[in-house]
Amino acid sequence: MRYDIAIVGSGPAGLAASINAKIRNKNIIVFGNNNASTKLTKAPSIDNYLGFENLSGVELKDKFMSHIKSMGIEITEKRVNNIYSMGDYFTLISGGDMYEATTVVMATGVEYGKMLKGEEEYLGKGVGYCATCDGALYRNKKVAIIGSNHEGEEDANFLREIASEVYYIPTYKMINKLDDEIKIIEDRPVEIKGDNLANKLVLKNQELEVDGIFIIKDSVSPKYMVPGLEVEGPHIKCDKDMKTSIAGLYVAGDCAGKPYQYLKSAGQGQIAVSSAISYLDKKRIKN
Ligand code: FAD
């Protein structure tokens, strides 16, 4: 099945994109999670979202989720690892699954923290962002997972079935769902070291000799997700219609640039979908 629009991200930008696409009767798939976004659920109080005053992030998230559910929109709880432009359409890869869509709206947010020292240098050389994609490379080897959310725990359990030893370094308050054999290390990651390939994770108080390191975060830099996409630092380059350097690919929310705000993100979600629909219409007329 080829979707009209694949929306990647379930924060305010992705959800606003999804309701607008649904209103325009488009065949969509929305990737993310049913908790919307940790950037929503972590906000103690929100006072700048038009129409609501003195609302907690969880309350705003509940309103968003109730809105999309009332419209019959479902979130596919999967992480998209790569998006490839195939010329006429896009292929989206999530672990071992593949999806096709004629247009894509990227609403993946931004990672507020900096990259770890050595992370960029060893990316693809012993450092990865997707355990289900690359886990098989570490059969009977030692791996470390730096997890910034509960998805890291799922990835650690998955790797436990393959690797000889799995270390889990949580950078968040975890509710432990890990297999007993996984070693939890409460320490702060500082640097990744290696020769040709990464082989050491330096933590504040110790060093781990490993064959591979997975870093599981809320969002990864778009340039690693979409080959050839033009970026400016952590942001995807776009015009006022939220059009990116790749035809058919649109962007919305924090990943499109500052300011980082809910209402701006939701507004851009709406613009990105309008632009995607104009693109679909033009394409239909041509064919
Ligand atoms: P996000 O909310 O970051 O959502 C992105 C979503 O995409 C996430 O669910 C993520 O898991 C998902 N995702 C990422 N990559 C993938 C992938 N590859 N595949 C599938 N899913 C993916 N702003 C305000 O206006 N007012 C406030 O009061 C306010 N308070 C804040 C308080 C805190 C503690 C924080 C952290 C932020 C606050 N902000 C506030 C900023 C606001 O949270 C962000 O600007 C907003 O959430 C951005 O929305 P977004 O949809 O672009 O991205």
Side-chain angles (χ1 to χ4, degrees), residues 156-280:
N157 286 335
F158 167 75
L159 283 171
R160 177 64 202 103
E161 292 166 17
I162 298 171
S164 61
E165 190 133 17
V166 178
Y167 300 103
Y168 191 68
I169 302 104
T171 59
Y172 63 103
K173 204 163 175 268
M174 70 184 278
I175 303 162
N176 191 353
K177 292 189 197 151
L178 293 176
D179 288 352
D180 292 343
E181 297 94 335
I182 296 170
K183 291 187 184 144
I184 301 172
I185 299 188
E186 306 271 0
D187 204 345
R188 186 166 59 81
V190 177
E191 185 177 356
I192 294 165
K193 287 186 173 172
D195 300 315
N196 291 335
L197 297 174
N199 57 25
K200 192 181 283 179
L201 177 62
V202 181
L203 301 154
K204 188 164 178 264
N205 300 302
Q206 61 193 298
E207 293 187 352
L208 299 175
E209 306 279 343
V210 288
D211 302 294
I213 299 163
F214 287 98
I215 305 175
I216 311 300
K217 21 187 171 183
D218 286 335
S219 43
V220 299
S221 171
K223 72 176 172 184
Y224 301 116
M225 246 176 104
V226 192
L229 184 63
E230 282 183 25
V231 296
E232 243 164 7
H235 303 133
I236 300 168
K237 273 194 189 174
C238 66
D239 68 9
K240 66 174 181 37
D241 297 324
M242 311 317 295
K243 192 171 149 195
T244 69
S245 58
I246 298 179
L249 182 75
Y250 300 87
V251 62
D254 283 2
C255 59
K258 288 183 177 176
Y260 297 153
Q261 303 272 271
Y262 299 123
L263 202 52
K264 181 219 82 167
S265 299
Q268 287 184 339
Q270 185 179 33
I271 299 170
V273 152
S274 299
S275 301
I277 292 172
S278 301
Y279 176 87
L280 287 167

Side-chain angles (χ1 to χ4, degrees), residues 9-13 36-37 39 48 79-80 108 218 253-254 260-262:
S10 54
S37 155
K39 294 217 178 84
N48 64 345
R79 183 150 287 269
V80 173
T108 47
D218 286 335
D254 283 2
Y260 297 153
Q261 303 272 271
Y262 299 123

